Amino acid sequence: ENSFDWLSKLKVLDLSGAACENNEIPPHAFRENTNITKIIIPDNLERTRIHAFSSMTNLTYLGTNAGNLKLPESLKVLGAGTFFKDSSLEGKLDLPKNLEAIGAACFNGSAVGDKNSTVFIRNGVETVKNIDAADGQTGSKGAIFAGTTNIKSIVFEEGIQEIGDSFSNESSGLTSIVLPNTVKNIDGRAFRKTGLTGTVVIPASVKTIGASAFAKNTSVDNFIVGNPNI
């Protein structure tokens, strides 16, 4: 047996005591690894690079020793596609208080969330610009939670001015959103074909709504639009 064969059979990876260079997980570090089911990340992690943990279809636990999806408060940047298509990764998601940016398609197609899951998007967290251009990966700039299945509610906190392209496009589990009185632009397909229900309130501060931003939301009873000029 090859001395490195054990790596191909690895199911649990404990990085809690690891000294990661620059406190980062490198680009594509575990992409498409379908053997690993659990990864414990360091408490001092500051960044995940593009597609660091993407398409790990059997991954059910990714977090610190504090619990699944318990991301360290030191985390500043979630790179593009970090949890892309992690279809078995379920659980309550609390974004770290010190988070500064979330890359395109970060949670696209993942199963993060639970039946009561509300995600709070804090003012000051970059979700519109492409934060991974420096990695030579320009790609799409939006679709942060596109295609997620278990997040039920998203609350955008006061101060946020723009919601990016395809932010939650085709998120079948999303039933409610709270938009702040500071938001000015809702980009195209931001909430297209979700599970939104009841009444959706669009604040008077909104000046532009992109194409198909709320298209195919068949369970919405009423839209209240504060600005009559859009």
Side-chain angles (χ1 to χ4, degrees), residues 6-7 43-44 58 133 138 173 177 200 204 211 219:
W6 66 274
L7 287 172
D43 288 329
N44 63 348
N58 290 312
T138 51
I177 56 173
V200 174
S219 296

Side-chain angles (χ1 to χ4, degrees), residues 15-17 41-45 64-66 70-75:
L15 298 174
S16 58
I41 57 178
D43 288 329
N44 63 348
L45 191 68
T64 62
N65 277 315
K70 298 297 182 183
L71 304 177
E73 290 302 324
S74 57
L75 193 64

Side-chain angles (χ1 to χ4, degrees), residues 118-157:
T118 297
V119 173
F120 293 87
I121 308 297
R122 183 177 54 81
N123 178 36
V125 177
E126 178 59 68
T127 61
V128 177
K129 294 180 181 179
N130 189 337
I131 62 168
D132 289 294
D135 290 331
Q137 304 283 344
T138 51
S140 171
K141 68 174 183 178
I144 303 295
F145 288 104
T148 56
T149 54
N150 292 316
I151 292 173
K152 299 301 179 184
S153 176
I154 298 179
V155 176
F156 297 88
E157 297 187 351

Side-chain angles (χ1 to χ4, degrees), residues 49-92:
R49 289 282 179 176
I50 187 169
H51 285 282
F53 302 104
S54 71
S55 299
M56 300 182 70
T57 53
N58 290 312
L59 186 68
T60 59
Y61 184 110
L62 194 151
T64 62
N65 277 315
N68 188 29
L69 289 172
K70 298 297 182 183
L71 304 177
E73 290 302 324
S74 57
L75 193 64
K76 297 178 181 179
V77 178
L78 284 167
T82 291
F83 300 94
F84 179 73
K85 290 188 177 180
D86 288 342
S87 54
S88 298
L89 188 63
E90 298 182 21
K92 189 176 188 301

